Amino acid sequence: KFIKNYSAPNLWNSHLKDMKADALMYLNDDILLYEDTIDKIIEVFETKYLDFDCLIGLNQVNIDSPNKVKAAFGVIGKKYVDRFPNRQWYCPDYYRFYGDKEAEEYAISINKFYYDSNIQIIHRHPCTDMTLIDQTHKEVRKYLKQDEETFYKRQSLNYLWGRDFNRLLKE
C-alpha cells in the first residue's frame, strides 16, 4: 500500500508506541531470513538480555562494505525503547536514511547494542544485483542527500537522539 508522506520515523515510532510485544523486528520487504535467524535472536534475549533492554543489529551477510550500518535492520527490546519519550526511538529529523546509524551510535554509547555476525539476513539490495533496482528504490533515493545533510548537521551540533532529544528545525 502506498502511503503519501511516508517517513521511516513515523512508521517505526508508531509501531513502537503501541507495541505490546517484548521486542519488535524492523525489516524491509526485500529481506530474507535464514531458517535460524529468529531462533538466534530469541537466544540473545534468553541468555544476554532477559529484560529486553537492547538493540540487536542483524548482519546483512551478502553486503560486504566497511560502511555497512549494523543497525540498518534489527530488533528493539521493549525495555530499551521505553527510555525514549513516547517510545520515539527513531529520530524524527530523518525521512529514510541515517536514523538507523544514529540509533546504532546511541545504543553503542550506552552499551546496549548487540551485534553477532552469525545472526544473518540477506538484503536483496541493488548494490548486490543491479537488476533489483525498482521504482521503490528510486523513490527512496530522493531523500538520501537531505538525510545525509541532516546527519552531518546533527553531528556538528553534537546531537545524538537518545542521549538528548534535540531536533533540527524543519522548513
Side-chain angles (χ1 to χ4, degrees):
K1 179 178 177 182
F2 182 73
I3 302 169
K4 290 187 186 293
N5 301 318
Y6 162 85
S7 75
N10 289 345
L11 174 75
W12 296 121
N13 289 341
S14 68
H15 285 295
L16 289 164
K17 180 181 176 192
D18 298 326
M19 178 177 79
K20 299 202 183 345
D22 291 327
L24 177 133
M25 181 184 292
Y26 59 99
L27 304 169
N28 286 350
D29 63 352
D30 58 356
I31 298 297
L32 302 173
L33 301 177
Y34 283 89
E35 191 173 306
D36 64 352
T37 303
I38 293 175
D39 290 337
K40 287 180 178 179
I41 292 165
I42 290 169
E43 183 179 335
V44 170
F45 285 120
E46 289 178 340
T47 61
K48 297 181 181 357
Y49 294 98
L50 294 169
D51 60 359
F52 296 93
D53 190 13
C54 71
L55 172 63
I56 300 173
L58 305 178
N59 181 12
Q60 301 172 70
V61 70
N62 63 317
I63 297 180
D64 185 25
S65 168
N67 300 321
K68 180 168 54 176
V69 177
K70 292 179 177 178
F73 304 103
V75 183
I76 306 165
K78 67 180 177 185
K79 186 172 179 184
Y80 181 80
V81 79
D82 282 342
R83 65 179 30 89
F84 296 85
N86 212 23
R87 289 185 158 181
Q88 300 293 291
W89 164 76
Y90 201 113
C91 177
D93 281 345
Y94 300 103
Y95 289 97
R96 304 289 199 286
F97 299 93
Y98 286 92
D100 50 4
K101 175 69 175 155
E102 191 165 331
E104 178 181 314
E105 289 179 2
Y106 173 66
I108 289 169
S109 78
I110 61 167
N111 200 30
K112 294 295 182 179
F113 185 66
Y114 183 84
Y115 184 83
D116 180 337
S117 62
N118 292 313
I119 303 176
Q120 301 175 342
I121 58 174
I122 295 173
H123 186 185
R124 294 185 39 81
H125 190 279
C127 73
T128 65
D129 179 352
M130 293 299 285
T131 65
L132 297 172
I133 293 177
D134 60 9
Q135 192 56 39
T136 300
H137 181 79
K138 292 175 187 174
E139 176 68 25
V140 167
R141 289 297 173 279
K142 289 192 243 180
Y143 300 94
L144 181 57
K145 184 175 179 6
Q146 182 177 355
D147 281 348
E148 181 178 49
E149 289 170 0
T150 295
F151 178 75
Y152 289 114
K153 176 69 173 176
R154 289 181 58 76
Q155 282 198 321
S156 74
L157 295 169
N158 198 32
Y159 290 177
L160 183 60
W161 192 257
R163 179 186 67 218
D164 57 63
F165 297 98
N166 297 327
R167 297 276 316 271
L168 299 178
L169 294 177
K170 295 283 186 182
E171 294 180 19

